[in-house]
Amino acid sequence: MGRLDGRVAIVTGAGRGIGAAVAEGLAVEGASVVVSDLGAGLDGEGVDEGPASEVAEHIRAAGGRAKADHTDVTDYAGAEDLIGTAVAEYGRLDILVNVAGILRDKMIFNMSQEDWSAVIDVHLNGTFNTTRHASSYWRANKGGEYRLINFTSGAGIYGAPSQPNYAAAKMGIIGLTMSCANSLRRYGVTANCVGPIATTRMTEGIGSGKALNQYEPSNKRMAPQNVVPPVLYLASAESGWINRRVLGAGNGKISLFANQTVERELVASTGIWDTETAFSEMEGAFRAAIEYPNPFDRPRE
Ligand SMILES: NC(=O)c1ccc[n+]([C@@H]2O[C@H](COP(=O)([O-])OP(=O)(O)OC[C@H]3O[C@@H](n4cnc5c(N)ncnc54)[C@H](O)[C@@H]3O)[C@@H](O)[C@H]2O)c1
């Protein structure tokens, strides 16, 4: 008996890296999986049916149920067909995991419009496209334990300096997920984000030359498979109590991020702020409250 017996999942970006590990993990637990991947290069260029077909074949060879699909998530109509593929092949759709992604890293002052748009298109618009059509299906088929699991990144949450396009897309995905969590709960859907960390082609070159390089391929804690168990939990019918949250996963850890919340608040005594009071009260109340918990937050020396 698998923990996901009878459930049907779509995983985008499932031809490689974390998406492939998620698709395989879902299948091992008994889910039927549409293994969807365009087979694009890291920068989004090119198309290759090989990766998705190989992952689906690998799942089937191990006794699981999988169908390969090669949808480009930036294609709105194609995303509708992808939802239709799951329903036509396996009769339903319970779980949508949006993993597909690309990188075009540049500092903001060197970023072309094209590199900005390409990254927003795959991550944010791609997540919208599949989610939009899955949500229509879920709304029309109330009564399930439906799961939307969207992949975000610490790059967005903390603001990686050389990834303004990616950081914006990944924070956009959190906003989209929060909205879906609030709008779709009544149809049996939970919506959560996962911010992973794992050694894949996306992390090649990170940490090279450092004495302690956690991205070394031999480091099993950083294997994509180490991201999978919390994703399987979110995909299960048991996780209905968790909604509108961001989890971190990978490198041996499963983290629960705090949602955005007001940390301190100043209220004008008359209800109207004057500039002088705002200057002094903000300096007094907010400056002391900021503890600079990550290196990008530190003010310049
Ligand atoms: N690896 C990490 O440490 C890490 C950290 C934070 C976030 N992430 C996120 O996790 C997800 C998976 O990353 P990964 O490291 O496994 O990357 P990866 O490059 O190994 O896999 C990404 C997959 O997405 C597919 N893809 C790209 N564009 C597509 C499109 N338009 N339509 C359909 N498929 C498309 C690619 O073909 C590829 O197989 C991404 O969303 C990434 O941003 C990864």
Side-chain angles (χ1 to χ4, degrees):
M1 285 283 285
R3 289 175 178 274
L4 299 167
D5 279 346
R7 288 169 77 70
V8 176
I10 294 171
V11 184
T12 73
R16 291 191 190 84
I18 297 167
V22 167
E24 286 168 2
L26 287 164
V28 165
E29 289 299 334
S32 303
V33 186
V34 179
V35 176
S36 185
D37 200 301
L38 179 64
L42 183 58
D43 63 358
E45 297 292 342
V47 176
D48 180 0
E49 295 200 348
S53 299
E54 282 162 27
V55 172
E57 183 51 43
H58 185 247
I59 290 172
R60 288 193 297 267
R65 278 180 297 279
K67 178 174 174 57
D69 173 274
H70 310 289
T71 301
D72 179 346
V73 294
T74 68
D75 176 356
Y76 182 77
E80 183 168 22
D81 292 343
L82 171 59
I83 306 306
T85 296
V87 177
E89 192 75 15
Y90 300 119
R92 51 190 294 127
L93 174 66
D94 302 290
I95 303 152
L96 171 62
V97 193
N98 285 302
V99 188
I102 64 168
L103 288 180
R104 294 197 185 185
D105 295 356
K106 288 268 171 17
M107 298 300 281
I108 184 67
F109 38 78
N110 290 325
M111 172 87 37
S112 68
Q113 259 191 317
E114 196 197 347
D115 288 342
W116 169 266
S117 299
V119 168
I120 298 287
D121 210 19
V122 174
H123 289 274
L124 186 54
N125 295 340
T127 300
F128 162 71
N129 290 341
T130 54
T131 301
R132 160 68 179 82
H133 298 299
S135 68
S136 294
Y137 168 82
W138 288 329
R139 183 167 176 251
N141 293 276
K142 275 178 253 173
E145 287 285 350
Y146 300 132
R147 303 287 179 256
L148 173 62
I149 304 168
N150 290 334
F151 271 62
T152 184
S153 172
I157 295 166
Y158 299 117
S162 61
Q163 299 182 307
N165 47 0
Y166 182 71
K170 289 306 206 185
M171 278 303 263
I173 286 172
I174 294 179
L176 169 62
T177 308
M178 299 278 168
S179 173
C180 292
N182 285 326
S183 65
L184 300 179
R185 192 69 196 98
R186 73 188 66 170
Y187 306 117
V189 184
T190 63
N192 294 285
C193 279
V194 173
I197 182 163
T199 302
T200 68
R201 71 175 184 176
M202 260 196 194
T203 63
E204 270 169 24
I206 301 180
S208 58
K210 288 189 182 161
L212 284 174
N213 178 9
Q214 66 180 14
Y215 293 95
E216 277 296 328
S218 60
N219 181 2
K220 290 202 175 72
R221 294 164 65 101
M222 287 287 284
Q225 288 73 16
N226 217 7
V227 171
V228 175
V231 179
L232 298 185
Y233 183 71
L234 287 179
S236 73
E238 287 130 278
S239 69
W241 56 269
I242 183 167
N243 192 33
R244 207 176 73 88
R245 298 306 298 247
V246 179
L247 299 185
N251 197 22
K253 296 177 189 160
I254 302 171
S255 330
L256 178 65
F257 279 81
N259 279 355
Q260 292 284 356
T261 180
V262 174
E263 192 178 317
R264 300 278 163 106
E265 193 162 54
L266 295 164
V267 180
S269 56
T270 61
I272 309 293
W273 281 103
D274 67 80
T275 305
E276 200 180 320
T277 317
F279 265 57
S280 74
E281 292 208 12
M282 285 175 65
E283 182 90 23
F286 291 174
R287 187 170 180 160
I290 294 175
E291 290 166 8
Y292 308 112
N294 88 71
F296 304 129
D297 282 349
R298 283 193 199 110
R300 290 182 62 179
E301 301 296 320

